[in-house]
Amino acid sequence: MRIATWNVNSLRARWARVEEWLAYARPDVLCLQETKMADAAFPRDAVAATGYEGAHHGDGRWNGVAILSRVGLDGVQAGFAGDDPTAGAECRLLSATCGGVRVMSVYVPNGRSLDDAQYAFKLEWLRKLRGHLDTTCDADEAVAVCGDFNIAPTDADVWDPSVLAGMTHVSEPERLALADIETWGLVDVFRSQHPEAGLYSWWDYRSGAFHQHRGMRIDLVLASRLLAERSTFSLIDRQARKGPQPSDHAPVLVDV
DNA sequence: ATGGTAGCGCTGCTA
């Protein structure tokens, strides 16, 4: 089973690239983030024409998450377990069971800066994700938490730690919050298969960052041990960051 | 050199 995740930075702007990528990468499941659309705008017919089922959770603002699957899509749950659906929470989490795997598409808040209220929101959101796992999943079963975590797990995941000192994505509290989620029983599959530094999934659009290899690895597939120990292959598809109108993120895929 | 790019949507915010 091939599970992939991709922050597409607007599904409307990126649909042609997503369609192209589905045709050649052929993931069984693709988690999307930053669709930037409302549920009513989700291209259901176009998705169905590719042979995938789709579920979407978005309100038309800058967030929005989706799951595409060609191995079933059941038990779809938007947001955190126990949250009031009318409370106006940002659309950053979607869970579904696909081919026997409980899959989550997550878009962790950016945080903006360490002194911003959004940073506290980011830490709280990560704490709630841990709680969501505790209450909805069994770590001994097949679980894959996939998405844009907006956290580089270690300094090996950024091009220059000295430039990023004091900024979000690398701060100790958010790395500890991520580690707490992994402690629930999840493995960063790409990292376990690729120990070397300098492998990134996101590059700023500005200043030729992609071509100068200035990026961060912030898009992760966290798999439960049952899946991780059966993983045979993982890849960040840098080709998808090239060409016309790319997202600023590359897709990450794992085979289990 | 405090810039730069992309998306949304129409002004400035978010990333």
Side-chain angles (χ1 to χ4, degrees):
Chain A
M1 183 166 170
R2 173 163 287 178
I3 302 172
T5 184
W6 195 4
N7 179 322
V8 291
N9 185 19
S10 169
L11 185 56
R12 187 178 290 102
R14 215 67 59 210
W15 172 248
R17 296 294 304 258
V18 173
E19 196 172 30
E20 170 192 44
W21 194 78
L22 287 172
Y24 82 77
R26 296 305 292 165
D28 293 287
V29 179
L30 174 60
C31 295
L32 299 173
Q33 300 85 36
E34 237 185 306
T35 63
K36 293 186 175 179
M37 51 174 56
D39 289 338
F42 185 66
R44 302 199 167 276
D45 295 343
V47 169
T50 65
Y52 287 80
E53 295 177 80
H56 183 265
H57 178 45
D59 60 10
R61 290 186 285 173
W62 59 85
N63 40 44
V65 288
I67 300 175
L68 310 188
S69 172
R70 59 190 180 97
V71 291
L73 190 60
D74 303 304
V76 175
Q77 180 179 25
F80 291 115
D83 265 12
D84 177 0
T86 65
E90 295 183 0
C91 301
R92 295 177 176 277
L93 172 65
L94 187 64
S95 310
T97 301
C98 307
V101 179
R102 191 61 178 168
V103 175
M104 297 180 195
S105 181
V106 307
Y107 178 40
V108 176
N110 175 290
R112 298 183 191 169
S113 65
L114 300 191
D115 59 357
D116 196 298
Q118 281 289 319
Y119 180 71
F121 173 60
K122 181 181 196 174
L123 296 178
E124 172 68 5
W125 199 92
L126 290 162
R127 195 190 62 73
K128 290 181 75 170
L129 179 59
R130 169 64 200 251
H132 182 77
L133 288 164
D134 287 334
T135 58
T136 68
C137 291
D138 184 340
D140 293 324
E141 296 184 346
V143 181
V145 184
C146 314
D148 177 359
F149 283 77
N150 271 313
I151 300 167
T154 74
D155 282 354
D157 298 306
V158 303
W159 82 98
D160 187 346
S162 69
V163 170
L164 295 165
M167 301 175 74
T168 61
H169 295 65
V170 300
S171 75
E172 195 68 10
E174 60 198 286
R175 282 176 167 171
L176 288 172
L178 175 61
D180 185 53
I181 288 164
E182 293 180 340
T183 298
W184 178 79
L186 298 169
V187 176
D188 179 348
V189 176
F190 182 86
R191 174 53 77 210
S192 67
Q193 296 187 13
H194 303 275
E196 61 269 36
L199 300 173
Y200 310 132
S201 66
W202 171 86
W203 302 260
D204 200 308
Y205 280 122
R206 297 169 288 188
S207 310
F210 178 75
H211 297 286
Q212 297 179 53
H213 310 296
R214 293 198 305 257
M216 290 194 260
R217 193 177 69 90
I218 58 178
D219 299 275
L220 311 176
V221 175
L222 303 183
S224 59
R225 281 182 286 267
L226 180 73
L227 290 180
E229 64 195 17
R230 286 163 174 75
S231 178
T232 54
F233 180 77
S234 63
L235 174 79
I236 298 174
D237 186 3
R238 300 177 74 257
Q239 284 298 122
R241 181 59 175 76
K242 305 176 185 176
Q245 292 183 292
S247 171
D248 46 352
H249 296 251
V252 180
L253 66 83
V254 305
D255 291 341
V256 300

